[in-house]
Amino acid sequence: MDIAVIEPGVIPTDNVAPDALKGIVRQQTNPKRWEAANWAPFAVAAASADIELLVQPGIIGTFSTDAGGTAYGMPHAVVIACSAGQISGLLKLAQQFHVPVTVRGGGLTTEGESVAFGGVLLDMTGMSRVLSVDKNKLIVRTQAGIFWHSLAESLRRYDLDYLSAPLNLTSSVGGSLGVGGIDVNSPRLGCSADQAISLQVVTPTGDIVECSDTQNTQLFQRVILGYGQFGVITEATLKVRPYTPLRMHYFYYSSLRTAIEDLQLLDAGDAADYSGILTMMDKVVNLLVAFDSDEREATFMASWRGRLRGHGEAAFTLLMGLHYGLRPWLWREALWLRERKRQLFPEFRRPEHIRNGLMHDRTVVFSRAVWKFWGSRQMVIPDIATSTEKFVDAVEQGNAVCRKYFGHYTLYCVGIRLREDHRQHYEMSCIPPDATTHAYGCEFEPMLENAVYSRDTLQSFKNDIYDIGVKLGGSYYRFGGMMKGYIRRVFGDAVVDRHLAMKREADPGMILNRNVIF
Amino acid sequence: MTAERNSIYGAEACSGCSLCLLVCPVWRSTFDIRLTPHGRAKALQHGATAFDVADSIDTCTLCGACEPVCPEEIALVDMVLALRRDLASTMPDRVGNAVVQLQQGVDSNSTTALSAYPTVLLADSALSEQPQLLQTVLALFSHEQAGLAADSGADIALALEAGASVPEERLNRFLAPLRTVRRMIVCDGVLLRALRDWLPRTRIDSLGEAASSLAGVRARLRPDDFYVIESRAYHADRERLVAHYDQLRVSSGCMMNLDLQRLAIPTTASHQWMPEKRRVDPADQARWILEGRVVARVVVEDCRDIAVFQRVAPYPVLHVAQLGDAR
Ligand SMILES: Cc1cc2nc3c(=O)[nH]c(=O)nc-3n(C[C@H](O)[C@H](O)[C@H](O)COP(=O)(O)OP(=O)(O)OC[C@H]3O[C@@H](n4cnc5c(N)ncnc54)[C@H](O)[C@@H]3O)c2cc1C
Ligand code: SF4
Ligand code: SF4
């Protein structure tokens, strides 16, 4: 396959999804499956290089979709990752025979980014070993396919914990460093991607390279938050910290705007160790605030608590009772909220995770709740990321879209502290270009329950949300895969073309994660 | 065609969330998704037969840790057992050993003999082979006048694990004397699951739960003890037992083989079926269980774990019954 040399600034023809980078008119659907030219000689070469291609329908089917459950695709073969050397050999052959390789960690994308539409699916979870833990220097070296939760299990034996990771148990380290990794402590500690000290990366041409802020910096900048475009992360050195249980506080609001203003007030003042908003539609808006130490909690109670406009649970329940008591025509909504609360709240208070009033293993608690109450075989979670200033507007507009499409939904809002020295990492990522100090993200998650929605309905909903991002000038956490049509609209041609030129240089065959961004 | 076949053994509900991988000892030692509930369920969804996933189902240790974490509430242990049964029905050679034991016959208690005891102990094959420890266990429950069932159902437990069919006559012979028993203490986790189905009105506890409920045992557990819960029985009733063991941990201050999700990390020593296909080394699991812990003594519920921990731990290992004295 000939790849024309493209000068930055020129919009090229995309050989993968020709319409993807020009601004999509219609809703994006699955990319075309790769037609398997050269598959036979590639398979022969792989066998002689001792790279096992698994082709049984069972293993191929295992990876037919991602957590979103709306994009479906089949690889021609699966390779279970076992070493950087094996991956290097695979990518060299893939370049030689122009075979696409899709990398998959936990597969928790929702837009098909970790789904292979033909070619090889590289299952990174085969590389899930913790390599070393340095308790004194507070760093860990780990293989990058490991699930954050498995890493946490190892770290806890030494009374350590990771800094920030997605609030689910089965996203992988490599998959998160490539896309973000946002936790309820990200307003203070930043996202996972900002916490990596150094990485071992296999480049798309098969070189095994160590990179960091001081070594092979350009590669580091592109791989972090790079959506797997510039290399496969095989090992990572990460900062860790002493483990602490949480002192949790919940404040309840009936106004999104007020809750977000209070959240941002706390974040700007560094008043809490953890903060975020989780809602039941726009009716029950819960501001979660938590602390690692009694001292931090005491300071908050003395200096910040009085400034928050939220209520405690009992007072808020009373207010809601009054609100719905005066509006009997809303009884269905009231009943739904009551039932939801009855099911949900105990999950956050399970006795085996609460000791002396402290919450232990928060990710387990949150993740259990996430899968139990929000998870389903189809998950549609469009999001918007903006600067601090634009965030309230973005959430209010997104909320209106949710109301238009769905009876029940949840909003999850959280801040991300930014690192000025990582500006280069943020270009063309989920961090909006105009954000300073903090960026904010909101996920809009409809409760699909047992209703059946067409793909077009779901896609239109996502587009309505993403259009807000374009209008306000923001970014998205999930802008790859089926949503990649928004990339040019939101980042502009100059930035996209520059990244495309870099990609073409790094990956001449355009084989690595070809349906994600480019 | 069985109902199970119609519903591909419950696998159709699998969303592929991978939560079962986190707790699976086979996953931990292989990092091969094909050998996990996720891999099996997805393979079945894509047309695989029991034969296609034979290797995967043979390596399952039946520890049960995957079941409580599955958000789709798939009966993952039953799925493996059903697949093994279906394989055995087409390939009888697979279960030769299990069938031989079933056919050898077992001395049966008479109904009256067992009904004389308020509590009956069903020892597993490992405990039966250690007469001294067996006596210690019985002594622990002497205040309840516990009696030992001569027919422990060990052959049935092995057959269940292997997927061999248990002749109705043999099952009836085993269950008949147990029907009048008020409380049973059962050592084998697979048998315990089945007994709860067969005798729903009888109180059936695992040996671990029964022993660790005794005040005398609880009082002798120390903060520097490491307590190893037997995983099969624990996971079969995890929602209830998580509170039991949490109270034990709080009252004694001891450490336990519970992971961050409060699942019991198994040594898998009770995995008897198809030893040649075993992918999990119990000693390796024991090392992982103890990694980073400062321990003075290991206390185990499953007597098979004594030898496992003795191989890897430089400190005393004892059975929970040896903590002694029920009073
Ligand atoms: C229920 C649910 C809850 C979620 N909660 C959060 C949350 O709280 N915070 C948050 O930040 N996110 C959250 N997410 C999103 C998800 O966790 C992130 O997208 C996650 O970081 C993905 O990790 P993964 O291992 O699943 O990656 P995958 O989905 O497997 O892959 C993500 C992308 O990275 C690429 N990739 C994967 N591994 C590598 C590697 N080793 N090297 C190079 N490229 C690689 C893939 O090709 C793909 O493009 C949630 C998602 C779901 C479904
Ligand atoms: S029962 Fe145990 S060994 Fe078998 S799949 Fe479940 S977790 Fe793995
Ligand atoms: S936990 Fe259940 S739903 Fe999730 S992958 Fe495993 S079997 Fe499937």
Side-chain angles (χ1 to χ4, degrees), chain A residues 67 103-109 113-114 166-168 171-172 174-176 179 181-182 228 231-233 370 477-478 513 516:
Chain A
V103 187
R104 178 158 171 139
L108 287 189
T109 54
E113 301 95 312
S114 54
L167 283 181
N168 59 63
S171 46
S172 71
S176 306
V179 300
I182 295 150
V232 181
I233 304 170
V370 165
Y477 190 81
R478 302 169 169 90
N513 287 325
V516 180

PDB file of all heavy atoms in Angstrom, chain A residues 67 103-109 113-114 166-168 171-172 174-176 179 181-182 228 231-233 370 477-478 513 516, ligand 1:
ATOM      1  N   ALA A  67     -17.312  -2.267  25.924  1.00  0.00           N
ATOM      2  CA  ALA A  67     -18.307  -2.065  26.981  1.00  0.00           C
ATOM      3  C   ALA A  67     -19.540  -1.339  26.452  1.00  0.00           C
ATOM      4  O   ALA A  67     -20.622  -1.467  27.013  1.00  0.00           O
ATOM      5  CB  ALA A  67     -17.688  -1.282  28.137  1.00  0.00           C
ATOM      6  N   VAL A 103      -5.259  -2.700  19.566  1.00  0.00           N
ATOM      7  CA  VAL A 103      -4.795  -3.028  20.911  1.00  0.00           C
ATOM      8  C   VAL A 103      -5.980  -2.928  21.858  1.00  0.00           C
ATOM      9  O   VAL A 103      -6.785  -1.999  21.778  1.00  0.00           O
ATOM     10  CB  VAL A 103      -3.696  -2.042  21.361  1.00  0.00           C
ATOM     11  CG1 VAL A 103      -3.096  -2.478  22.688  1.00  0.00           C
ATOM     12  CG2 VAL A 103      -2.620  -1.939  20.296  1.00  0.00           C
ATOM     13  N   ARG A 104      -6.049  -3.880  22.769  1.00  0.00           N
ATOM     14  CA  ARG A 104      -7.161  -3.875  23.723  1.00  0.00           C
ATOM     15  C   ARG A 104      -6.653  -4.145  25.129  1.00  0.00           C
ATOM     16  O   ARG A 104      -5.874  -5.063  25.359  1.00  0.00           O
ATOM     17  CB  ARG A 104      -8.161  -4.955  23.332  1.00  0.00           C
ATOM     18  CG  ARG A 104      -9.327  -5.061  24.306  1.00  0.00           C
ATOM     19  CD  ARG A 104     -10.444  -5.707  23.589  1.00  0.00           C
ATOM     20  NE  ARG A 104     -11.554  -6.062  24.428  1.00  0.00           N
ATOM     21  CZ  ARG A 104     -12.812  -5.896  24.049  1.00  0.00           C
ATOM     22  NH1 ARG A 104     -13.092  -5.346  22.899  1.00  0.00           N
ATOM     23  NH2 ARG A 104     -13.805  -6.273  24.831  1.00  0.00           N
ATOM     24  N   GLY A 105      -7.099  -3.293  26.047  1.00  0.00           N
ATOM     25  CA  GLY A 105      -6.798  -3.540  27.456  1.00  0.00           C
ATOM     26  C   GLY A 105      -8.035  -4.150  28.079  1.00  0.00           C
ATOM     27  O   GLY A 105      -8.403  -5.292  27.808  1.00  0.00           O
ATOM     28  N   GLY A 106      -8.737  -3.346  28.885  1.00  0.00           N
ATOM     29  CA  GLY A 106      -9.969  -3.846  29.499  1.00  0.00           C
ATOM     30  C   GLY A 106     -11.158  -3.805  28.549  1.00  0.00           C
ATOM     31  O   GLY A 106     -12.208  -4.361  28.850  1.00  0.00           O
ATOM     32  N   GLY A 107     -11.018  -3.107  27.432  1.00  0.00           N
ATOM     33  CA  GLY A 107     -12.137  -3.015  26.484  1.00  0.00           C
ATOM     34  C   GLY A 107     -13.288  -2.185  27.008  1.00  0.00           C
ATOM     35  O   GLY A 107     -14.439  -2.402  26.631  1.00  0.00           O
ATOM     36  N   LEU A 108     -12.976  -1.214  27.858  1.00  0.00           N
ATOM     37  CA  LEU A 108     -14.063  -0.418  28.446  1.00  0.00           C
ATOM     38  C   LEU A 108     -14.400   0.832  27.637  1.00  0.00           C
ATOM     39  O   LEU A 108     -15.092   1.717  28.116  1.00  0.00           O
ATOM     40  CB  LEU A 108     -13.717  -0.026  29.885  1.00  0.00           C
ATOM     41  CG  LEU A 108     -13.803  -1.174  30.879  1.00  0.00           C
ATOM     42  CD1 LEU A 108     -13.670  -0.681  32.300  1.00  0.00           C
ATOM     43  CD2 LEU A 108     -15.100  -1.947  30.744  1.00  0.00           C
ATOM     44  N   THR A 109     -13.910   0.889  26.442  1.00  0.00           N
ATOM     45  CA  THR A 109     -14.356   1.965  25.567  1.00  0.00           C
ATOM     46  C   THR A 109     -15.828   1.730  25.250  1.00  0.00           C
ATOM     47  O   THR A 109     -16.363   0.634  25.464  1.00  0.00           O
ATOM     48  CB  THR A 109     -13.562   1.949  24.245  1.00  0.00           C
ATOM     49  OG1 THR A 109     -13.672   0.630  23.685  1.00  0.00           O
ATOM     50  CG2 THR A 109     -12.102   2.284  24.483  1.00  0.00           C
ATOM     51  N   GLU A 113     -13.575   1.764  20.102  1.00  0.00           N
ATOM     52  CA  GLU A 113     -12.139   2.035  19.941  1.00  0.00           C
ATOM     53  C   GLU A 113     -11.284   0.797  20.184  1.00  0.00           C
ATOM     54  O   GLU A 113     -10.181   0.695  19.652  1.00  0.00           O
ATOM     55  CB  GLU A 113     -11.680   3.133  20.917  1.00  0.00           C
ATOM     56  CG  GLU A 113     -12.382   4.465  20.791  1.00  0.00           C
ATOM     57  CD  GLU A 113     -13.548   4.580  21.771  1.00  0.00           C
ATOM     58  OE1 GLU A 113     -14.364   3.633  21.844  1.00  0.00           O
ATOM     59  OE2 GLU A 113     -13.657   5.614  22.445  1.00  0.00           O
ATOM     60  N   SER A 114     -11.765  -0.116  21.021  1.00  0.00           N
ATOM     61  CA  SER A 114     -10.959  -1.312  21.288  1.00  0.00           C
ATOM     62  C   SER A 114     -11.535  -2.544  20.572  1.00  0.00           C
ATOM     63  O   SER A 114     -11.264  -3.671  20.957  1.00  0.00           O
ATOM     64  CB  SER A 114     -10.870  -1.559  22.798  1.00  0.00           C
ATOM     65  OG  SER A 114     -12.170  -1.621  23.359  1.00  0.00           O
ATOM     66  N   PRO A 166      -9.586   5.040  36.702  1.00  0.00           N
ATOM     67  CA  PRO A 166     -11.023   5.063  36.447  1.00  0.00           C
ATOM     68  C   PRO A 166     -11.793   4.339  37.545  1.00  0.00           C
ATOM     69  O   PRO A 166     -11.285   3.386  38.132  1.00  0.00           O
ATOM     70  CB  PRO A 166     -11.161   4.313  35.123  1.00  0.00           C
ATOM     71  CG  PRO A 166      -9.835   4.454  34.469  1.00  0.00           C
ATOM     72  CD  PRO A 166      -8.837   4.482  35.572  1.00  0.00           C
ATOM     73  N   LEU A 167     -13.021   4.802  37.775  1.00  0.00           N
ATOM     74  CA  LEU A 167     -13.840   4.189  38.827  1.00  0.00           C
ATOM     75  C   LEU A 167     -14.506   2.920  38.319  1.00  0.00           C
ATOM     76  O   LEU A 167     -15.722   2.792  38.300  1.00  0.00           O
ATOM     77  CB  LEU A 167     -14.900   5.181  39.299  1.00  0.00           C
ATOM     78  CG  LEU A 167     -14.401   6.289  40.221  1.00  0.00           C
ATOM     79  CD1 LEU A 167     -15.546   7.187  40.645  1.00  0.00           C
ATOM     80  CD2 LEU A 167     -13.704   5.725  41.445  1.00  0.00           C
ATOM     81  N   ASN A 168     -13.702   2.038  37.809  1.00  0.00           N
ATOM     82  CA  ASN A 168     -14.193   0.705  37.497  1.00  0.00           C
ATOM     83  C   ASN A 168     -13.006  -0.206  37.714  1.00  0.00           C
ATOM     84  O   ASN A 168     -11.879   0.266  37.758  1.00  0.00           O
ATOM     85  CB  ASN A 168     -14.717   0.620  36.070  1.00  0.00           C
ATOM     86  CG  ASN A 168     -13.669   0.970  35.066  1.00  0.00           C
ATOM     87  OD1 ASN A 168     -12.656   0.289  34.956  1.00  0.00           O
ATOM     88  ND2 ASN A 168     -13.865   2.041  34.321  1.00  0.00           N
ATOM     89  N   SER A 171     -10.519  -1.524  33.935  1.00  0.00           N
ATOM     90  CA  SER A 171      -9.764  -0.827  32.898  1.00  0.00           C
ATOM     91  C   SER A 171      -8.293  -1.110  33.161  1.00  0.00           C
ATOM     92  O   SER A 171      -7.879  -1.316  34.301  1.00  0.00           O
ATOM     93  CB  SER A 171     -10.060   0.668  32.876  1.00  0.00           C
ATOM     94  OG  SER A 171     -10.031   1.195  34.159  1.00  0.00           O
ATOM     95  N   SER A 172      -7.519  -1.128  32.104  1.00  0.00           N
ATOM     96  CA  SER A 172      -6.108  -1.489  32.246  1.00  0.00           C
ATOM     97  C   SER A 172      -5.260  -0.232  32.374  1.00  0.00           C
ATOM     98  O   SER A 172      -5.684   0.869  31.996  1.00  0.00           O
ATOM     99  CB  SER A 172      -5.656  -2.300  31.031  1.00  0.00           C
ATOM    100  OG  SER A 172      -5.576  -1.462  29.899  1.00  0.00           O
ATOM    101  N   GLY A 174      -2.478   0.462  30.673  1.00  0.00           N
ATOM    102  CA  GLY A 174      -2.121   0.970  29.344  1.00  0.00           C
ATOM    103  C   GLY A 174      -3.291   1.670  28.676  1.00  0.00           C
ATOM    104  O   GLY A 174      -3.140   2.741  28.089  1.00  0.00           O
ATOM    105  N   GLY A 175      -4.480   1.081  28.797  1.00  0.00           N
ATOM    106  CA  GLY A 175      -5.665   1.673  28.175  1.00  0.00           C
ATOM    107  C   GLY A 175      -6.007   3.014  28.790  1.00  0.00           C
ATOM    108  O   GLY A 175      -6.521   3.911  28.117  1.00  0.00           O
ATOM    109  N   SER A 176      -5.712   3.189  30.068  1.00  0.00           N
ATOM    110  CA  SER A 176      -6.057   4.451  30.739  1.00  0.00           C
ATOM    111  C   SER A 176      -5.011   5.529  30.468  1.00  0.00           C
ATOM    112  O   SER A 176      -5.357   6.698  30.314  1.00  0.00           O
ATOM    113  CB  SER A 176      -6.173   4.245  32.254  1.00  0.00           C
ATOM    114  OG  SER A 176      -7.077   3.210  32.509  1.00  0.00           O
ATOM    115  N   VAL A 179      -5.823   7.211  27.306  1.00  0.00           N
ATOM    116  CA  VAL A 179      -7.027   8.028  27.114  1.00  0.00           C
ATOM    117  C   VAL A 179      -7.292   9.011  28.258  1.00  0.00           C
ATOM    118  O   VAL A 179      -7.979  10.000  28.073  1.00  0.00           O
ATOM    119  CB  VAL A 179      -8.293   7.161  26.888  1.00  0.00           C
ATOM    120  CG1 VAL A 179      -8.139   6.297  25.654  1.00  0.00           C
ATOM    121  CG2 VAL A 179      -8.615   6.280  28.067  1.00  0.00           C
ATOM    122  N   GLY A 181      -8.022   8.517  32.342  1.00  0.00           N
ATOM    123  CA  GLY A 181      -8.053   7.870  33.655  1.00  0.00           C
ATOM    124  C   GLY A 181      -8.425   8.871  34.731  1.00  0.00           C
ATOM    125  O   GLY A 181      -7.563   9.487  35.353  1.00  0.00           O
ATOM    126  N   ILE A 182      -9.720   9.031  34.941  1.00  0.00           N
ATOM    127  CA  ILE A 182     -10.182  10.092  35.840  1.00  0.00           C
ATOM    128  C   ILE A 182     -10.867   9.496  37.052  1.00  0.00           C
ATOM    129  O   ILE A 182     -11.697   8.603  36.948  1.00  0.00           O
ATOM    130  CB  ILE A 182     -11.102  11.060  35.074  1.00  0.00           C
ATOM    131  CG1 ILE A 182     -10.260  11.744  33.996  1.00  0.00           C
ATOM    132  CG2 ILE A 182     -11.690  12.114  36.001  1.00  0.00           C
ATOM    133  CD1 ILE A 182     -11.019  12.114  32.792  1.00  0.00           C
ATOM    134  N   GLY A 228      -3.518   5.241  21.744  1.00  0.00           N
ATOM    135  CA  GLY A 228      -2.869   4.080  21.121  1.00  0.00           C
ATOM    136  C   GLY A 228      -2.424   4.315  19.697  1.00  0.00           C
ATOM    137  O   GLY A 228      -2.159   3.357  18.970  1.00  0.00           O
ATOM    138  N   GLY A 231       1.976   3.969  19.635  1.00  0.00           N
ATOM    139  CA  GLY A 231       2.727   2.848  20.177  1.00  0.00           C
ATOM    140  C   GLY A 231       1.893   2.028  21.150  1.00  0.00           C
ATOM    141  O   GLY A 231       0.844   2.475  21.620  1.00  0.00           O
ATOM    142  N   VAL A 232       2.389   0.834  21.438  1.00  0.00           N
ATOM    143  CA  VAL A 232       1.736  -0.035  22.414  1.00  0.00           C
ATOM    144  C   VAL A 232       2.497   0.125  23.730  1.00  0.00           C
ATOM    145  O   VAL A 232       3.716  -0.074  23.772  1.00  0.00           O
ATOM    146  CB  VAL A 232       1.792  -1.511  21.965  1.00  0.00           C
ATOM    147  CG1 VAL A 232       1.087  -2.396  22.989  1.00  0.00           C
ATOM    148  CG2 VAL A 232       1.185  -1.671  20.593  1.00  0.00           C
ATOM    149  N   ILE A 233       1.779   0.506  24.766  1.00  0.00           N
ATOM    150  CA  ILE A 233       2.420   0.642  26.073  1.00  0.00           C
ATOM    151  C   ILE A 233       2.524  -0.760  26.665  1.00  0.00           C
ATOM    152  O   ILE A 233       1.514  -1.450  26.837  1.00  0.00           O
ATOM    153  CB  ILE A 233       1.587   1.548  27.010  1.00  0.00           C
ATOM    154  CG1 ILE A 233       1.357   2.905  26.348  1.00  0.00           C
ATOM    155  CG2 ILE A 233       2.282   1.710  28.357  1.00  0.00           C
ATOM    156  CD1 ILE A 233       0.353   3.788  27.093  1.00  0.00           C
ATOM    157  N   VAL A 370     -21.392   1.032  40.102  1.00  0.00           N
ATOM    158  CA  VAL A 370     -21.439   1.420  38.683  1.00  0.00           C
ATOM    159  C   VAL A 370     -21.998   0.274  37.846  1.00  0.00           C
ATOM    160  O   VAL A 370     -22.921   0.444  37.057  1.00  0.00           O
ATOM    161  CB  VAL A 370     -20.027   1.836  38.188  1.00  0.00           C
ATOM    162  CG1 VAL A 370     -19.974   1.871  36.667  1.00  0.00           C
ATOM    163  CG2 VAL A 370     -19.639   3.184  38.762  1.00  0.00           C
ATOM    164  N   TYR A 477     -13.860  13.035  26.316  1.00  0.00           N
ATOM    165  CA  TYR A 477     -13.055  11.906  26.780  1.00  0.00           C
ATOM    166  C   TYR A 477     -13.089  10.811  25.718  1.00  0.00           C
ATOM    167  O   TYR A 477     -12.096  10.162  25.444  1.00  0.00           O
ATOM    168  CB  TYR A 477     -13.661  11.408  28.091  1.00  0.00           C
ATOM    169  CG  TYR A 477     -12.826  10.415  28.829  1.00  0.00           C
ATOM    170  CD1 TYR A 477     -11.765  10.838  29.626  1.00  0.00           C
ATOM    171  CD2 TYR A 477     -13.098   9.057  28.747  1.00  0.00           C
ATOM    172  CE1 TYR A 477     -10.998   9.921  30.319  1.00  0.00           C
ATOM    173  CE2 TYR A 477     -12.338   8.141  29.436  1.00  0.00           C
ATOM    174  CZ  TYR A 477     -11.290   8.574  30.218  1.00  0.00           C
ATOM    175  OH  TYR A 477     -10.531   7.658  30.902  1.00  0.00           O
ATOM    176  N   ARG A 478     -14.264  10.613  25.148  1.00  0.00           N
ATOM    177  CA  ARG A 478     -14.418   9.542  24.164  1.00  0.00           C
ATOM    178  C   ARG A 478     -14.602  10.159  22.788  1.00  0.00           C
ATOM    179  O   ARG A 478     -15.722  10.299  22.331  1.00  0.00           O
ATOM    180  CB  ARG A 478     -15.654   8.700  24.498  1.00  0.00           C
ATOM    181  CG  ARG A 478     -15.614   8.085  25.871  1.00  0.00           C
ATOM    182  CD  ARG A 478     -16.943   7.494  26.246  1.00  0.00           C
ATOM    183  NE  ARG A 478     -16.840   6.683  27.449  1.00  0.00           N
ATOM    184  CZ  ARG A 478     -17.000   7.161  28.678  1.00  0.00           C
ATOM    185  NH1 ARG A 478     -17.298   8.448  28.858  1.00  0.00           N
ATOM    186  NH2 ARG A 478     -16.871   6.376  29.717  1.00  0.00           N
ATOM    187  N   ASN A 513      -4.131   0.564  15.599  1.00  0.00           N
ATOM    188  CA  ASN A 513      -5.385   1.163  16.075  1.00  0.00           C
ATOM    189  C   ASN A 513      -5.988   2.077  15.017  1.00  0.00           C
ATOM    190  O   ASN A 513      -6.301   3.241  15.270  1.00  0.00           O
ATOM    191  CB  ASN A 513      -5.137   1.935  17.379  1.00  0.00           C
ATOM    192  CG  ASN A 513      -4.920   0.992  18.540  1.00  0.00           C
ATOM    193  OD1 ASN A 513      -5.530  -0.077  18.603  1.00  0.00           O
ATOM    194  ND2 ASN A 513      -4.042   1.353  19.445  1.00  0.00           N
ATOM    195  N   VAL A 516      -9.431   4.078  15.441  1.00  0.00           N
ATOM    196  CA  VAL A 516      -9.673   4.868  16.651  1.00  0.00           C
ATOM    197  C   VAL A 516      -9.707   6.357  16.319  1.00  0.00           C
ATOM    198  O   VAL A 516     -10.707   7.048  16.534  1.00  0.00           O
ATOM    199  CB  VAL A 516      -8.612   4.564  17.720  1.00  0.00           C
ATOM    200  CG1 VAL A 516      -8.879   5.388  18.977  1.00  0.00           C
ATOM    201  CG2 VAL A 516      -8.626   3.080  18.055  1.00  0.00           C
TER     202      VAL A 516
HETATM  203  C1  LIG C   1     -18.826   1.460  33.332  1.00  0.00           C
HETATM  204  C2  LIG C   1     -17.685   2.342  32.960  1.00  0.00           C
HETATM  205  C3  LIG C   1     -17.158   3.219  33.892  1.00  0.00           C
HETATM  206  C4  LIG C   1     -16.105   4.045  33.551  1.00  0.00           C
HETATM  207  N1  LIG C   1     -15.611   4.900  34.491  1.00  0.00           N
HETATM  208  C5  LIG C   1     -14.570   5.697  34.181  1.00  0.00           C
HETATM  209  C6  LIG C   1     -14.010   6.580  35.135  1.00  0.00           C
HETATM  210  O1  LIG C   1     -14.475   6.686  36.256  1.00  0.00           O
HETATM  211  N2  LIG C   1     -12.939   7.318  34.777  1.00  0.00           N
HETATM  212  C7  LIG C   1     -12.387   7.205  33.551  1.00  0.00           C
HETATM  213  O2  LIG C   1     -11.385   7.848  33.303  1.00  0.00           O
HETATM  214  N3  LIG C   1     -12.900   6.400  32.611  1.00  0.00           N
HETATM  215  C8  LIG C   1     -13.978   5.649  32.903  1.00  0.00           C
HETATM  216  N4  LIG C   1     -14.495   4.814  31.955  1.00  0.00           N
HETATM  217  C9  LIG C   1     -13.878   4.745  30.656  1.00  0.00           C
HETATM  218  C10 LIG C   1     -12.801   3.666  30.611  1.00  0.00           C
HETATM  219  O3  LIG C   1     -12.488   3.213  31.882  1.00  0.00           O
HETATM  220  C11 LIG C   1     -11.580   4.213  30.034  1.00  0.00           C
HETATM  221  O4  LIG C   1     -11.811   4.388  28.695  1.00  0.00           O
HETATM  222  C12 LIG C   1     -10.404   3.286  30.307  1.00  0.00           C
HETATM  223  O5  LIG C   1      -9.323   4.031  30.617  1.00  0.00           O
HETATM  224  C13 LIG C   1     -10.161   2.344  29.270  1.00  0.00           C
HETATM  225  O6  LIG C   1      -9.221   1.406  29.721  1.00  0.00           O
HETATM  226  P1  LIG C   1      -9.219  -0.019  29.057  1.00  0.00           P
HETATM  227  O7  LIG C   1      -8.088  -0.785  29.597  1.00  0.00           O
HETATM  228  O8  LIG C   1     -10.546  -0.597  29.151  1.00  0.00           O
HETATM  229  O9  LIG C   1      -8.843   0.386  27.577  1.00  0.00           O
HETATM  230  P2  LIG C   1      -9.455  -0.163  26.240  1.00  0.00           P
HETATM  231  O10 LIG C   1     -10.888   0.131  26.171  1.00  0.00           O
HETATM  232  O11 LIG C   1      -9.056  -1.571  26.048  1.00  0.00           O
HETATM  233  O12 LIG C   1      -8.648   0.737  25.221  1.00  0.00           O
HETATM  234  C14 LIG C   1      -8.742   2.134  25.223  1.00  0.00           C
HETATM  235  C15 LIG C   1      -7.932   2.664  24.052  1.00  0.00           C
HETATM  236  O13 LIG C   1      -6.546   2.506  24.327  1.00  0.00           O
HETATM  237  C16 LIG C   1      -5.935   1.588  23.417  1.00  0.00           C
HETATM  238  N5  LIG C   1      -5.080   0.745  24.240  1.00  0.00           N
HETATM  239  C17 LIG C   1      -5.456  -0.162  25.170  1.00  0.00           C
HETATM  240  N6  LIG C   1      -4.379  -0.668  25.777  1.00  0.00           N
HETATM  241  C18 LIG C   1      -3.302  -0.073  25.235  1.00  0.00           C
HETATM  242  C19 LIG C   1      -1.893  -0.176  25.440  1.00  0.00           C
HETATM  243  N7  LIG C   1      -1.386  -1.011  26.333  1.00  0.00           N
HETATM  244  N8  LIG C   1      -1.086   0.580  24.683  1.00  0.00           N
HETATM  245  C20 LIG C   1      -1.602   1.428  23.767  1.00  0.00           C
HETATM  246  N9  LIG C   1      -2.907   1.568  23.525  1.00  0.00           N
HETATM  247  C21 LIG C   1      -3.746   0.831  24.252  1.00  0.00           C
HETATM  248  C22 LIG C   1      -7.070   0.872  22.734  1.00  0.00           C
HETATM  249  O14 LIG C   1      -6.727   0.545  21.416  1.00  0.00           O
HETATM  250  C23 LIG C   1      -8.179   1.910  22.767  1.00  0.00           C
HETATM  251  O15 LIG C   1      -8.052   2.806  21.738  1.00  0.00           O
HETATM  252  C24 LIG C   1     -15.561   3.993  32.251  1.00  0.00           C
HETATM  253  C25 LIG C   1     -16.091   3.109  31.313  1.00  0.00           C
HETATM  254  C26 LIG C   1     -17.134   2.290  31.650  1.00  0.00           C
HETATM  255  C27 LIG C   1     -17.679   1.369  30.623  1.00  0.00           C
END
